[in-house]
Amino acid sequence: MRMLMIEDIDIIFHSELGCQESIFSIFCYLQVSCTNNQVHLLNMPNMEVLKTVSGIKLPIASADLSRRDVCGFDSTNGLVAIPTQDYCIQFYNLFENTEVSEVQVCERNFQPVDDITMYISLVSLSIGGNLMCTVEVKLPEEELGGLVTLKFWNQGSRAGQFHLSTVIYEPHSDAGISAVAFHPGKNMAVSSSFGCNFKVWVQSLSLQSSDGKSQSGWRCQSVGSYKKKPMTAAAFSGDGSVLAVAAESVITLWDPDNNALVGVIAEALSPITKLSFAGDSAYLMSLSQSSKPQVAVWNVSNLSMQWSYTLFAEAACCSSSKSEFAVLSLLSCPEGGAPAEQDGIILIFDAENSKPVSSWSVKKAKGGSIAFVKNDLSLDANTDVTRDGEASLLVYLNGLHEYVIFDPRNNEEQQISQNTRKNIQADEPAPIGYASIYGELPKLELKKEVSDIPFIPSDRPWETIFTGSSHALPPLTKLCSVFLSSLLEKRPVTDE
């Protein structure tokens, strides 16, 4: 698992001091560890924050809101988007093990002691990572004043940097949003709601700003529903030609451009909470997380079930290029007083076969997430990159936001961990302590072999008389006389 390393903090602390600081200035710096997994280096006399090292933010503790983890993954750039307690989205680089940015979703004052009145319920990122959608929910006070807000964001100059594009208040009247999915090839998105409908949104460039420049905005293109049932999940196919929307336990297939119903698949055991297509194949994976859990694979071409399992699945994800998917399953039923940090297992399936390809036992699976990400070739040259020209690694983020990256096709379970701190650690650490003030101490040499050359006293003994460790030198009372005598000019004594 990867969390904030203490050696990273030491390196930053040392580099800030430099080589010319005095002993007094060393004690003017203070390291403060915060509960949000941040460490601040403070200059105490000036009360100034010199450096901040941010680890991945911890999960939001909430006893009132029983909801799933809403982390989003940017599989192209290897980023994870995590909602924080102060209404921000933290973008964390999984390969570099460092924070990239924080996006303020809601401009609202946050006080840790106050009751929860607002939270971020959904975070969705496009496949390329250039678009983001967030859903924030304002809880009603005394059954009045509830509000659901849908926001679209455009990427800035770099990955993880977003600016707000469009704000939509109450996009599905007063109903909550169950899922948001982006089209793989267009600036199109779909939002499903518990209010018995779904909406297809498209980006428009016809808006004009006050300075005359064109800006992009999002508008509703079409609205769909099925037998007045709550829409609980949605997903686009690999090529974007089919939109799958779950109407509770029924999977409906739509043409997203014409908003036409093209097919209906048989019902699942219980309401579906997640849908995802397995790469570019015709297989659709569904996940049900209720008292009758189920992981099922459906064949879209013949509108039938391929196979299914009864699993208490916490999360699932599909590969974007291959017909495989991963399921994070709990080892016991999550209801009935199950521990919050119960263990689980990750299963890798091929959509055509019900037999798992591989499996891994994991800890703290409750509240965890998994996702396929593209491999950073600079980290591990031994990773298999020959299959279909693209390598996909699997990220497991547990309930405490500790994570690990591994290759699901490697039976040896080799963890990708090289260069995880290359953006933090310096090439040559700066001198610290005694060395930063007085310089480096001479290195101790190994005991030399006995030479046949006889010992000859030096003519300049004052150059070496004080050389050596302080605890090994003779007392000053003995050294003083020897030192002074060495400075006096010696003359031969002659009898007159």
Side-chain angles (χ1 to χ4, degrees), residues 4-18 26 29-32 39-41 51-53 421 424-426 428-433:
L4 190 60
M5 301 296 181
I6 190 65
E7 55 263 32
D8 298 341
I9 305 170
D10 293 339
I11 292 171
I12 294 175
F13 177 71
H14 298 158
S15 63
E16 291 291 345
L17 292 179
I26 296 178
Y29 295 90
L30 179 65
Q31 297 182 59
V32 179
V39 175
H40 301 287
L41 179 62
K51 192 74 174 182
T52 299
V53 181
R421 299 186 302 276
I424 299 178
Q425 185 174 1
E428 295 183 359
I432 61 173

Side-chain angles (χ1 to χ4, degrees), residues 376-390:
D376 188 349
L377 300 180
S378 63
L379 296 183
D380 193 351
N382 299 324
T383 305
D384 183 14
V385 295
T386 59
R387 297 183 58 182
D388 298 337
E390 179 183 0

Side-chain angles (χ1 to χ4, degrees), residues 128-430:
N130 59 328
L131 298 173
M132 180 177 69
C133 183
T134 60
V135 178
E136 59 188 66
V137 178
K138 183 181 181 300
L139 300 177
E141 298 180 8
E142 298 181 356
E143 299 183 357
L144 295 175
L147 180 66
V148 178
T149 305
L150 178 68
K151 294 182 178 180
F152 288 95
W153 307 75
N154 294 335
Q155 189 183 45
S157 58
R158 56 184 176 85
Q161 185 181 34
F162 288 88
H163 57 270
L164 185 61
S165 171
T166 306
V167 180
I168 305 169
Y169 297 104
E170 299 288 0
H172 297 272
S173 298
D174 56 350
I177 298 177
S178 59
V180 175
F182 281 96
H183 192 283
K186 300 179 181 179
N187 290 344
M188 176 186 291
V190 60
S191 62
S192 60
S193 75
F194 299 104
C196 305
N197 65 1
F198 69 90
K199 292 186 177 181
V200 177
W201 308 88
V202 293
Q203 192 175 29
S204 175
L205 300 177
S206 60
L207 300 179
Q208 297 290 331
S209 61
S210 58
D211 55 359
K213 297 182 180 179
S214 61
Q215 294 182 347
S216 62
W218 290 78
R219 61 178 178 84
C220 180
Q221 175 178 271
S222 58
V223 182
S225 63
Y226 181 79
K227 295 184 178 181
K228 298 182 179 181
K229 291 186 176 183
M231 299 297 185
T232 56
F236 283 96
S237 62
D239 57 359
S241 60
V242 178
L243 170 62
V245 183
E248 285 189 329
S249 57
V250 180
I251 301 177
T252 60
L253 304 177
W254 302 76
D255 183 349
D257 296 324
N258 301 322
N259 196 31
L261 181 64
V262 295
V264 178
I265 304 180
E267 293 190 20
L269 294 178
S270 58
I272 297 171
T273 57
K274 182 177 179 59
L275 287 175
S276 183
F277 281 88
D280 296 330
S281 65
Y283 295 102
L284 177 65
M285 185 273 298
S286 68
L287 189 67
S288 300
Q289 298 170 302
S290 63
S291 58
K292 296 180 180 180
Q294 185 184 40
V295 176
V297 175
W298 311 84
N299 193 328
V300 179
S301 58
N302 54 23
L303 304 180
S304 64
M305 179 184 291
Q306 186 78 6
W307 54 267
S308 67
Y309 273 116
T310 300
L311 292 175
F312 294 100
E314 189 70 12
C317 65
C318 289
S319 174
S320 60
S321 58
K322 305 174 182 63
S323 61
E324 62 181 7
F325 64 93
V327 176
L328 174 61
S329 176
L330 302 178
L331 297 180
S332 60
C333 178
E335 299 181 2
E341 297 184 4
Q342 60 180 305
D343 298 337
I345 185 172
I346 296 178
L347 302 171
I348 305 295
F349 291 96
D350 188 276
E352 298 180 355
N353 193 351
S354 61
K355 183 179 179 180
V357 177
S358 55
S359 63
W360 291 268
S361 298
V362 294
K363 296 183 179 297
K364 307 172 186 177
K366 182 65 176 177
S369 302
I370 54 177
F372 284 98
V373 295
K374 292 185 179 180
N375 182 28
D376 188 349
L377 300 180
S378 63
L379 296 183
D380 193 351
N382 299 324
T383 305
D384 183 14
V385 295
T386 59
R387 297 183 58 182
D388 298 337
E390 179 183 0
S392 294
L393 302 178
L394 189 63
V395 177
Y396 167 57
L397 183 73
N398 68 14
L400 296 182
H401 286 183
E402 301 167 333
Y403 72 96
V404 64
I405 306 176
F406 59 94
D407 188 353
R409 305 177 190 87
N410 192 341
N411 295 328
E412 297 179 356
E413 195 175 342
Q414 179 182 3
Q415 181 176 341
I416 309 300
S417 60
Q418 291 87 343
N419 299 333
T420 56
R421 299 186 302 276
K422 62 183 180 181
N423 283 351
I424 299 178
Q425 185 174 1
D427 295 335
E428 295 183 359

